[in-house]
Amino acid sequence: MPHDIENHSHSLLPSEPELKVKAIESALVNQGLIDPAALDEIIDTYQNKIGPKNGASIIAKAWIDQDFKDELMSNTMAVLEKYGFYGRQGEHIRVVENTPEVHNIVVCTLCSCYPWPLLGIPPTWYKSDEYRSRVVREPRKCLSEFGVKLPENTNIRVWDSTAEIRYLVLPMLPDAFKGFSEQELVGIVSRDAMIGTGLIGPAK
Amino acid sequence: MINNDEYRPFHEPWHAQIFALTIHLNEQGHFEWKDWSQAFSEALSLESSNGAIVKDEDYYLVWLKTIEEFLAQNGKLKSDEITSYFDAWSAAFLSTPHGQPVKLKNLSSG
């Protein structure tokens, strides 16, 4: 909350952090260190060009094309680079596959490392203390709060992301979706399924 | 449950702004990403021990505080510079009639 500026509050006065950001930006522009137009471009990229659809396209292709999947699992970065899904926070990505025996779930206990080029900016809950601290301790309970119920005999493996390595979950494709086109499959891959806090939903 | 269409990377414009500013400075070669990410992780874990990170706002407040200190440590920005601009922006908002674009008077020439 703003403190002293509250005393002479004005309907037009932004919050303290908003003003702080403007101040930092102005100071950097004044020094010639940043270009405001470049900031707009970066925001546009993360809002409109990068997002879970990138990851979904990779998952859908892996489901229908076994050769692609093999290559993706064994030579992940080469495949992702080919599709342009690499760069900041995506330098080293490992794909972990869900099976009837193992369900994978991704967290960053330290901060909020996340495969940006594939999933965009992480959702609020991924950055929260609660998720970061609890998912390692009680993954099954956490999953149930996400509405994910796994068979008792499915093991849960929690992957803790770091600045060096990030993870993408390759979800299981339910039988109901077998025979769907790649394009149709892209539409059923949720962000949460690629983090491991969701499953692929039933066919509509 | 399909929620790709709910992708909402930023909840407030200033979150997006400070995020982009950090990325841009790194792209321009002003610091190494790993150094920033280490500083940010440390700041977050400090805050987290108080159970403070619940909303995006909490997260970006830590980001903002960290980048400010980080830039000061790297000699890119002095805290009094930020204070001057902060005051200048506050004054600009307070002196601009509602509905008109708020512009900063040029500090260096004034």
Side-chain angles (χ1 to χ4, degrees), chain B residues 12-85:
Chain B
E12 293 289 339
W14 76 262
H15 301 170
Q17 207 67 19
I18 197 67
F19 171 87
L21 189 145
T22 309
I23 301 265
H24 182 50
L25 283 169
N26 169 245
E27 281 177 353
Q28 300 294 106
H30 295 299
F31 55 78
E32 291 291 321
W33 190 258
K34 66 173 168 47
D35 295 334
W36 152 253
S37 105
Q38 191 186 339
F40 184 49
S41 302
E42 283 166 12
L44 269 181
S45 67
L46 208 66
E47 291 291 325
S48 298
S49 55
N50 308 323
I53 315 295
V54 180
K55 300 172 299 184
D56 262 38
E57 184 82 1
D58 306 324
Y59 176 85
Y60 280 107
L61 282 172
V62 178
W63 186 306
L64 176 57
K65 191 165 161 247
T66 312
I67 192 73
E68 195 183 342
E69 290 165 1
F70 187 73
L71 291 175
Q73 279 162 14
N74 283 278
K76 304 288 180 205
L77 275 187
K78 297 193 195 75
S79 63
D80 58 349
E81 255 178 301
I82 299 175
T83 308
S84 307
Y85 276 104

Side-chain angles (χ1 to χ4, degrees), chain A residues 26 88 112 124 129 189 191, chain B residues 4 26 48 53 56 59 89:
Chain A
S26 300
R88 190 184 317 278
S112 50
T124 303
D129 287 332
V189 187
R191 175 198 65 206
Chain B
N4 280 351
N26 169 245
S48 298
I53 315 295
D56 262 38
Y59 176 85
W89 271 113

Side-chain angles (χ1 to χ4, degrees), chain A residues 26-151:
Chain A
S26 300
L28 292 168
V29 168
N30 185 45
Q31 290 188 33
L33 292 178
I34 61 168
D35 168 14
L39 300 190
D40 293 342
E41 203 168 303
I42 291 167
I43 293 170
D44 178 57
T45 298
Y46 280 91
Q47 249 161 2
N48 303 314
K49 300 186 182 116
I50 296 181
K53 285 204 165 60
N54 290 1
S57 68
I58 291 291
I59 299 298
K61 198 177 252 317
W63 278 337
I64 61 156
D65 181 342
Q66 184 63 41
D67 289 344
F68 176 83
K69 182 183 155 187
D70 293 343
E71 187 67 11
L72 177 70
M73 300 305 291
S74 61
N75 203 0
T76 307
M77 289 322 297
V79 171
L80 295 180
E81 277 172 34
K82 201 173 128 193
Y83 286 85
F85 300 153
Y86 71 105
R88 190 184 317 278
Q89 295 246 7
E91 293 87 350
H92 299 287
I93 290 173
R94 181 168 168 192
V95 179
V96 289
E97 185 182 9
N98 285 349
T99 64
E101 292 76 35
V102 179
H103 179 86
N104 298 284
I105 177 165
V106 181
V107 65
C108 174
T109 55
L110 205 56
C111 48
S112 50
C113 297
Y114 192 73
W116 289 358
L118 291 167
L119 299 181
I121 304 295
T124 303
W125 56 260
Y126 187 87
K127 295 176 277 199
S128 72
D129 287 332
E130 197 193 357
Y131 177 74
R132 284 161 43 221
S133 59
R134 281 189 52 216
V135 76
V136 177
R137 231 171 36 232
E138 40 186 23
R140 202 170 286 270
K141 186 148 182 267
C142 266
L143 279 179
S144 74
E145 287 162 22
F146 277 97
V148 175
K149 292 257 190 307
L150 294 172

